[in-house]
Amino acid sequence: ECGLLLVAQRKRKGLFKRAQMLALELSHYLARYEEIEHEVSAVARVRHDLRNQANVILMFIDQGALARAAAYTDELLGRVEEV
């Protein structure tokens, strides 16, 4: 009976270590998921802003305000160079 108890204790220790390793691995995966989620949100914001900026340029062009469209485009390109 002592032999079975020893085997059970060793198995329990092994399972506990495995559970700890899995918990750590899960923690890393969750942190990476949050990073990716943040990056996806940032890309969505950039796409939204880009669509809005393109619409402003098109509006200027539709109104015949080519100089304003060019100035706005130059301003946007200046912002891009700063990044």
Side-chain angles (χ1 to χ4, degrees):
E1 199 170 292
C2 278
L4 287 176
L5 186 58
L6 255 164
V7 168
Q9 286 176 340
R10 285 183 187 155
K11 186 166 185 144
R12 185 173 161 213
K13 276 186 181 180
L15 290 174
F16 182 74
K17 274 189 171 184
R18 175 94 172 116
Q20 285 180 316
M21 288 179 6
L22 289 173
L24 183 60
E25 191 175 332
L26 178 60
S27 173
H28 291 300
Y29 284 132
L30 289 173
R32 183 63 184 135
Y33 172 81
E34 289 174 3
E35 290 171 9
I36 292 170
E37 192 175 47
H38 177 75
E39 291 169 7
V40 167
S41 294
V43 169
R45 283 190 303 274
V46 168
R47 287 177 53 143
H48 172 82
D49 291 347
L50 183 58
R51 273 194 298 272
N52 288 341
Q53 293 160 346
N55 284 329
V56 169
I57 293 168
L58 290 173
M59 179 193 67
F60 285 144
I61 292 170
D62 285 344
Q63 294 174 351
L66 299 181
R68 286 183 75 184
Y72 186 71
T73 302
D74 288 342
E75 178 187 336
L76 291 176
L77 292 174
R79 286 190 220 160
V80 169
E81 289 178 11
E82 290 174 5
V83 176

